[in-house]
């Protein structure tokens, strides 16, 4: 009896722990599925009856939502791809050399506020006339994605015994062959974690694109923020747009929660 | 080119690893170039700009440390620093308490634990701008769901972000919601690494669960808690997205933190030189606080 009470109490406390997260996302969903009249009713209506799709249709009809979604996709994939291209070998090199000083640089990048990179890079892009294209946004997103990839891969390769590559080199492989044919295939789980996390944090980034984007190079977070400040539109379409922006990331989190948790725990623990 | 070089060098080399150490630089070099361009160059350039009077579209002139001098007498900046410290204190304490409690709960085995944990970490993965929009709607004084919640519990409604006195605690509420999961994950990682022996000994000695928590778990977790504390402090100092989207520093300047002050000077007033001085001072504040916490950890370790 006492044991059951304890279990019920524990279950209730878990429910209390996850309810703030659940409530906000469910409220977002509820707002996006109700018409304007129901959304501004007080006391609030919680369950859309009947649910309407007009808000989502409005989002796609309004300005260039699909174009902005495409911008977001291009930026996040490019920034993640480039980060893997540069960051995986770097993480390997740092781990094998035990170059802790190089790692400190990555830590400094983690500490520095994103805005501080933006002022000099903004001026630089103006001088070379890149503003208004997607290129400056991709380049600045490297500030986020490269440290994530290097940090995670460094930790991963440190945990990989060097004996395997040494054996390959004894057999005549070059250092590059040992990396490419031995270390890289073994590092696939680490790369997966690094790709997922750097994609998510690039997708979510707001500040770089807000400053650097022109009319045609806005990413989704900037577009959604502009809906709030410039158009003063109603709650339904706003919630629908917000939901569409964050939905890919939420689904990715639910699908890959094991990898994400593994990456964030090691990344976080080593962050100190 | 680098591939050919290392091939030649490796051909006659002894396969023992320390002889290869030099060649590993070739793995790091391309990334080094990227880091130089996107991280180091901006730093050096910021230092350079901070000693100039540099208006976007206008000219620039060397003015030495005048920007810094101005900063230290700028009352608006002083308030921004105090507000940032206030915000940070609240946005560190609550996630630490809640995150540790959540980690202790998620460390136990129970049905659907994976799903519950995934839902719990959703806030930190969600797009901050999207989430901030929903919070803005919830904070609406007349139609918002939060005031309905308060009044239906018999409490007086709040003005949330529309009042100078409540705006910072309200923004902290969003920050706590957003970042408690990261503390939970770090502490959970710590819990997974704890040794089992002390627990077995405590069980034999008949310790109560509360005694175990107080005398075994928390002391063993201390290094992880301090790491979480440092990360949380740095992130809270740097908070920008949600504050910018929800209040843009308002009402008036009552939620203008250092980061918002910096943004306005750089990209609303186009005062690049002055903003660069803000960047430098802001960075020093962050480093100083991080060092203080690291020192506390060392101190704590020596004492233990």
């Amino acid at each position: 009896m006492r044991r059951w009470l304890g279990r019920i109490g524990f279950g209730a406390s878990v429910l209390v722990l996850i309810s703030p997260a659940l409530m906000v996302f469910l409220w977002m969903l509820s707002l996006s599925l109700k018409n304007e009249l129901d959304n501004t009713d007080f006391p609030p209506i919680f369950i859309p009856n009947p649910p309407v799709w007009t808000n989502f249709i409005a989002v796609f009809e309004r300005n260039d939502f699909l174009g902005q979604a495409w911008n977001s996709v291009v930026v996040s994939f490019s920034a993640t791809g480039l980060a893997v291209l540069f960051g995986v070998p770097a993480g390997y090199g740092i781990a094998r050399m035990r170059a802790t000083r190089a790692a400190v640089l990555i830590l400094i990048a983690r500490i520095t506020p994103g805005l501080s990179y933006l002022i000099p890079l903004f001026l630089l892009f103006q001088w070379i006339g890149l503003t208004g294209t997607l290129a400056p946004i991709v380049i600045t997103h490297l500030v986020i994605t490269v440290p994530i990839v290097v940090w995670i891969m460094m930790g991963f390769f440190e945990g990989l015994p060097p004996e395997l590559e040494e054996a390959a080199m004894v057999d005549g492989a070059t250092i590059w062959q040992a990396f490419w044919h031995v270390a890289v295939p073994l590092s696939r789980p680490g790369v997966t974690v690094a790709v997922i996390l750097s994609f998510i944090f690039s997708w979510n980034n707001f500040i770089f694109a807000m400053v650097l984007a022109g009319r045609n190079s806005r990413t989704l977070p900037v577009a959604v923020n502009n809906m709030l400040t410039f158009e003063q539109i109603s709650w339904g379409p706003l919630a629908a747009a917000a939901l569409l922006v964050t939905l890919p990331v939420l689904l990715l989190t639910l699908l890959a929660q094991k990898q994400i948790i593994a990456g964030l725990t090691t990344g976080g623990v080593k962050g100190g | 080119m680098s591939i050919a070089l290392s091939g030649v060098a490796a051909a006659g080399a002894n396969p023992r690893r320390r002889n290869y150490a030099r060649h590993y630089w070739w793995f790091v070099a391309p990334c080094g170039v990227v880091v130089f361009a996107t991280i180091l160059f901006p730093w050096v350039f910021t230092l350079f700009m901070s000693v100039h009077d540099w208006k976007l579209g206008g000219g620039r002139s060397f003015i030495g440390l005048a920007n810094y001098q101005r900063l230290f007498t700028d009352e608006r900046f002083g308030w921004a620093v105090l507000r940032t410290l206030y915000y940070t204190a609240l946005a560190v304490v609550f996630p630490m308490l809640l995150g540790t409690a959540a980690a202790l709960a998620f460390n136990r085995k129970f049905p659907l634990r994976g799903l519950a944990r995934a839902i719990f970490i959703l806030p930190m993965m969600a797009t901050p701008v999207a989430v901030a929009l929903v919070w803005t709607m919830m904070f609406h004084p007349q139609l918002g769901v939060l005031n309905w919640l308060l009044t239906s519990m018999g409490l007086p409604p709040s003005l949330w972000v529309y009042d100078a006195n409540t705006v910072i605690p309200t923004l902290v509420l969003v920050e706590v919601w957003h970042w408690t999961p990261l503390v939970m994950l770090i502490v959970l990682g710590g819990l997974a690494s704890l040794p089992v022996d002390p627990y077995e000994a405590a069980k034999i000695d008949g310790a109560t669960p509360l005694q175990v928590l107080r005398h075994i778990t928390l002391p063993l977790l201390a290094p992880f808690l301090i790491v979480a504390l440092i990360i949380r402090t740095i992130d809270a100092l740097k908070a920008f997205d949600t504050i910018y989207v929800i209040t843009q520093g308002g009402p008036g300047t009552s939620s203008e933190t250092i980061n918002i002050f910096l943004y306005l000077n750089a990209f609303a007033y186009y005062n690049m030189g002055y903003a660069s001085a803000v960047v430098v001072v802001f960075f020093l504040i962050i480093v100083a606080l991080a060092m203080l916490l690291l020192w506390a950890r060392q101190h704590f370790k020596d004492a233990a």
Side-chain angles (χ1 to χ4, degrees), chain A:
Chain A
M1 179 67 194
R2 222 185 129 140
R3 210 169 129 196
W4 277 103
L5 275 179
R7 274 191 193 176
I8 291 168
F10 182 74
S13 52
V14 169
L15 216 59
V16 169
L17 279 175
I18 62 169
S19 59
L22 215 51
M23 298 288 213
V24 170
F25 291 116
L26 287 179
W27 186 235
M28 193 185 226
L29 184 68
S30 164
L31 285 170
S32 71
L33 291 174
K34 286 180 300 194
N35 62 40
E36 211 39 41
L37 225 58
D38 286 358
N39 269 338
T40 51
D41 210 7
F42 198 89
I45 294 169
F46 288 95
I47 297 173
N49 185 28
V52 291
W53 296 103
T54 45
N55 296 325
F56 289 94
I57 295 166
V59 168
F60 283 106
E61 276 176 350
R62 183 183 305 274
N63 51 54
D64 189 23
F65 193 82
L66 282 177
Q68 286 149 347
W70 176 245
N71 286 344
S72 263
V73 168
V74 170
V75 167
S76 303
F77 274 94
S78 316
T80 304
L82 288 171
V84 167
L85 191 68
F86 292 115
V88 173
Y92 179 72
I94 292 172
R96 287 293 174 262
M97 287 191 297
R98 291 160 210 264
T100 37
R101 249 175 256 150
V104 169
L105 197 67
I106 303 290
L107 259 189
I108 291 177
R110 171 77 172 73
I111 289 179
T112 313
L115 256 176
S116 33
Y117 302 110
L118 209 44
I119 300 169
L121 290 173
F122 176 77
L123 291 174
L124 182 75
F125 293 134
Q126 267 204 332
W127 285 332
I128 52 180
L130 273 178
T131 37
T133 66
L134 286 178
I137 304 176
V138 172
I139 294 170
T140 45
H141 275 224
L142 292 179
V143 172
I144 312 160
T145 55
V146 167
I148 292 176
V149 174
V150 172
W151 197 253
I152 289 174
M153 293 320 294
M154 212 172 71
F156 192 88
F157 285 122
E158 269 166 7
L160 208 64
E163 282 78 17
L164 288 166
E165 298 134 55
E166 280 166 12
M169 288 192 273
V170 170
D171 291 344
T174 65
I175 197 166
W176 290 93
Q177 288 167 332
F179 168 68
W180 188 247
H181 295 293
V182 180
V184 167
L186 288 171
S187 71
R188 209 165 287 159
V191 176
T192 310
V193 172
V195 164
I196 292 172
L197 287 179
S198 75
F199 178 84
I200 289 176
F201 286 110
S202 167
W203 180 271
N204 284 348
N205 185 275
F206 167 60
I207 194 168
F208 291 138
M210 182 182 60
V211 171
L212 294 169
R215 178 178 283 279
N216 296 317
S217 56
R218 284 186 193 126
T219 57
L220 282 180
V222 181
V224 170
N225 179 54
N226 285 355
M227 279 173 88
L228 178 72
T229 47
F230 296 127
E231 299 177 29
Q232 280 303 336
I233 60 153
S234 41
W235 286 10
L238 210 53
L243 188 65
L244 287 171
V245 171
T246 195
L247 197 62
V249 168
L250 297 185
L251 290 178
L252 194 60
T253 306
L254 290 174
L255 288 175
Q257 63 127 334
K258 259 202 188 113
Q259 284 87 343
I260 288 173
I261 288 175
L264 288 173
T265 14
T266 56
V269 168
K270 293 199 169 159

